[in-house]
Amino acid sequence: MDTDVVVVGGGLAGLVAASELVRLGKTVTIVDQEGQQSLGGQAFWSFGGLFLVDSPEQRFMGIKDSHELAWQDWVGTAGFDRAEDAWPRKWAEAYVDFASGEKRAWLHSLGVRFFPVVGWAERGGYTAQGHGNSVPRFHITWGTGPGVIAPFVRLVEQAVVDGKLQLKFRHRVDRLVVTDGAVTGVAGTLLAPDESQRGASTSRESLGEFEIEAGAVLVASGGIGGNFDLVRKNWPERLGTAPKRLISGVPAHVDGRMLGIAEDAGAELINRDRMWHYTEGIENWDPIWPHHGIRILPGPSSLWLDATGKRLPAPYFPGFDTLGTLEHIATTGYEYTWFVLTQKILEKEFALSGSEQNPDLTGKDLKLLLKRVLPGAPGPVEAFKKHGADFAVAETLPELVARMNSISGDNLLEYETVRAAVEARDAEMGNKFTKDLQVTALRGARNYRGDKLIRVASPHRLLDPKAGPLIGVRLNILTRKTLGGLHTDLDGRVLKDDGEPLPGLYAAGEAAGFGGGGMHGYRSLEGTFLGGCIYSGRQAARGVVK
């Protein structure tokens, strides 16, 4: 035997699993098809949001949260309704226990710190038992994605120095070795070295083959978000027809290959049709990977129009219900939508997802961070406004509509339709009371001092010249997360179709639907993807030893 455990994938789940396995006395080999520059995987590129319950940061911001409220929100959001949801639901319960219990203290002991203002993602807009977070729970890591992976990178690198762990980059697994019904190793292709920058597509030139024998294999290879063919193949009917045009929120190596490879070895995949894609994607004007898109993390004030200029119905407001909005967009017959906003809204409410788009938080730069409370938009946001292919800017509404039509190239927007939507919304701003639920929501948001301080613009008319110029942003469908995956029990053991474990095979992270084969159910509360990788990675490692 070459090693106790082979971990397939050097992303966050793989790093957590490997470091925990070493702590528990096992020798580990991490194999990854990318180079050393990509250690940390997708998590490196993330905004670093983590779902925590009843945290010191929440209490400091005046937020009253509890395990019971968080579980109510999780169940209302997940919508578990399938027989195969038994293990995913158990994973969800265990994860909410973790998020409201030891998660923060454990991460803090490893050096992870948090931005003090807690964000309010997926606000819902339904009843108390429906989708969404009842309170802000989105804790931004100081250092964003790189700050999340840093302690686990350090642990793994120290384990290499100590001779307890091997890192084998440019090793692409093509099959799981199965002996007498048990997984006993991995085999695949040794790829040629490639020093392309992190995230860029790399060569698939073969230099030969490899095989590694192990006591157990732990799959932590991620999902399918960079593989548009698999995304379209698994696209659920409830979300309409799969879009012909997609942009990607993840690098091309997030290809889902290991899911099929594990299935060929006898593993069961469940909830293939559950996936998480964003509706507020914009083309990256300075791309790193193919079809590179960035998600706008919007505040609640922008007016959301469909491709023909009609306003999206309640509660499909910015930041309220990602997949509900996606499902509605499918009914319009078009694949893109529009935000209409002002410079005042842009400056206060537009954040861009991604470590590279937030140099203040990623670089832990306090001086730069202070600019978020000062007039003016963050530099990366202004850069997109200036260079982005999806941005239109104008002083008047007729000019704006004309420029928006020039971006789409299909002239679907009629000025009178857009004007009616804008003026009707503006008419609701004259009183402190309103029948417009979005106006009610944005005023209510400002009751939370975190939103009032840095997230939600003071209510104003879109056609107020003092708030201008006017801005239109075309929004595209952005692929991101796989919510289904390899079916696992609470020890991370991968199950076969008959419900029995496949000996020697474990899974964690997105490859396991962040736990169980889909602990989120149909929808996410946000901040739960990185946390799901962390929890399932640690849990699967303990399962191997157990």
Side-chain angles (χ1 to χ4, degrees):
M1 189 168 66
D2 301 311
T3 186
D4 289 333
V5 186
V6 168
V7 174
V8 182
L12 179 59
L15 293 174
V16 174
S19 60
E20 183 71 1
L21 284 163
V22 169
R23 187 186 72 81
L24 294 172
K26 298 297 182 182
T27 59
V28 179
T29 299
I30 296 177
V31 295
D32 197 295
Q33 65 180 342
E34 296 306 303
Q36 186 170 1
Q37 68 271 30
S38 290
L39 189 65
Q42 296 180 62
F44 175 89
W45 300 104
S46 75
F47 196 36
L50 290 171
F51 178 91
L52 297 172
V53 179
D54 192 25
S55 69
E57 289 77 18
Q58 286 177 300
R59 294 192 292 271
F60 175 75
M61 295 303 298
I63 300 163
K64 296 180 180 179
D65 200 5
S66 67
H67 175 278
E68 293 73 23
L69 185 59
W71 181 240
Q72 173 181 295
D73 289 346
W74 194 289
V75 172
T77 293
F80 295 121
D81 62 359
R82 298 172 177 175
E84 58 265 36
D85 283 334
W87 281 115
R89 185 183 175 102
K90 290 177 182 178
W91 270 93
E93 291 182 80
Y95 180 70
V96 173
D97 288 346
F98 178 62
S100 57
E102 66 171 313
K103 180 180 178 181
R104 185 190 180 280
W106 180 61
L107 290 174
H108 195 272
S109 73
L110 295 173
V112 177
R113 299 293 183 268
F114 298 101
F115 184 57
V117 180
V118 183
W120 196 353
E122 290 297 296
R123 302 180 187 219
Y126 303 92
T127 64
Q129 292 177 296
H131 166 69
N133 285 293
S134 297
V135 299
R137 296 191 178 105
F138 192 81
H139 295 66
I140 301 169
T141 303
W142 188 229
T144 65
V148 175
I149 67 172
F152 303 106
V153 170
R154 286 195 298 269
L155 289 170
V156 163
E157 290 178 342
Q158 185 59 52
V160 172
V161 172
D162 295 340
K164 300 175 181 177
L165 186 147
Q166 295 184 73
L167 287 167
K168 292 186 177 293
F169 298 108
R170 303 296 287 161
H171 283 61
R172 185 188 69 195
V173 174
D174 296 325
R175 66 183 176 90
L176 296 175
V177 179
V178 180
T179 306
D180 297 329
V183 175
T184 57
V186 297
T189 303
L190 181 63
L191 300 175
D194 190 320
E195 296 182 1
S196 300
Q197 68 171 315
R198 179 191 286 267
S201 296
T202 55
S203 165
R204 290 297 178 259
E205 178 188 352
S206 171
L207 296 182
E209 299 179 346
F210 73 92
E211 184 167 333
I212 302 172
E213 184 182 359
V217 174
L218 196 158
V219 177
S221 55
I224 68 173
N227 186 333
F228 289 174
D229 290 338
L230 269 182
V231 169
R232 292 189 176 103
K233 180 180 179 181
N234 292 322
W235 192 269
E237 289 185 9
R238 65 183 176 278
L239 296 181
T241 303
K244 295 178 181 178
R245 180 177 181 274
L246 293 165
I247 58 177
S248 181
V250 296
H253 65 255
V254 185
D255 55 20
R257 291 181 71 255
M258 279 304 303
L259 297 177
I261 290 168
E263 190 174 26
D264 289 343
E268 182 181 32
L269 276 174
I270 61 173
N271 298 319
R272 301 170 194 262
D273 63 324
R274 291 180 181 171
M275 51 185 71
W276 186 260
H277 305 307
Y278 290 111
T279 53
E280 313 99 328
I282 51 177
E283 292 183 38
N284 193 339
W285 64 273
D286 187 18
I288 298 172
W289 54 78
H291 313 290
H292 190 173
I294 297 293
R295 185 207 176 191
I296 295 172
L297 298 170
S301 299
S302 296
L303 187 67
W304 206 336
L305 307 177
D306 69 18
T308 67
K310 297 176 183 176
R311 189 173 176 187
L312 270 59
Y316 306 134
F317 311 134
F320 276 66
D321 180 359
T322 295
L323 290 197
T325 305
L326 179 57
E327 188 171 352
H328 172 77
I329 291 170
T331 69
T332 68
Y334 302 96
E335 298 178 354
Y336 68 91
T337 55
W338 294 97
F339 276 168
V340 173
L341 61 147
T342 64
Q343 179 70 20
K344 184 176 180 179
I345 294 172
L346 180 89
E347 293 179 1
K348 192 87 167 185
E349 298 194 7
F350 265 40
L352 300 173
S353 181
S355 55
E356 82 283 13
Q357 301 297 331
N358 295 275
D360 52 353
L361 292 163
T362 302
K364 303 179 182 180
D365 189 326
L366 289 171
K367 185 176 180 180
L368 192 59
L369 182 66
L370 287 173
K371 291 186 177 181
R372 289 190 181 239
V373 297
L374 298 175
V381 174
E382 278 293 339
F384 265 89
K385 177 184 152 190
K386 181 179 180 180
H387 303 292
D390 296 305
F391 282 73
V393 183
E395 294 296 331
T396 68
L397 191 59
E399 290 176 292
L400 184 71
V401 172
R403 291 177 183 176
M404 291 162 70
N405 274 326
S406 70
I407 288 173
S408 64
D410 51 21
N411 292 311
L412 289 174
L413 294 174
E414 293 186 3
Y415 168 68
E416 289 302 322
T417 302
V418 177
R419 180 190 62 79
V422 170
E423 290 185 349
R425 183 263 189 201
D426 279 5
E428 297 290 318
M429 307 306 293
N431 297 286
K432 291 184 178 180
F433 39 87
T434 176
K435 72 176 183 180
D436 190 307
L437 290 179
Q438 184 178 5
V439 176
T440 297
L442 69 91
R443 285 174 174 158
R446 285 176 61 86
N447 288 325
Y448 167 47
R449 66 174 181 264
D451 275 351
K452 187 172 184 178
L453 178 65
I454 63 170
R455 198 70 179 106
V456 180
S458 57
H460 62 276
R461 294 183 298 112
L462 295 176
L463 297 180
D464 181 353
K466 295 179 181 178
L470 288 164
I471 301 167
V473 186
R474 181 179 61 177
L475 307 172
N476 310 277
I477 306 303
L478 176 77
T479 64
R480 186 62 67 85
K481 296 298 181 185
T482 310
L483 298 188
L486 295 170
H487 198 184
T488 63
D489 64 12
L490 279 176
D491 288 325
R493 296 185 297 178
V494 175
L495 307 178
K496 299 180 294 184
D497 290 347
D498 62 5
E500 292 298 312
L502 177 57
L505 188 62
Y506 298 76
E510 194 172 350
F514 303 94
M519 75 169 187
H520 294 95
Y522 289 94
R523 295 188 287 193
S524 167
L525 288 172
E526 286 283 27
T528 54
F529 300 131
L530 294 177
C533 288
I534 291 168
Y535 181 65
S536 63
R538 193 183 74 165
Q539 193 73 2
R542 293 178 178 181
V544 171
V545 176
K546 180 179 175 182

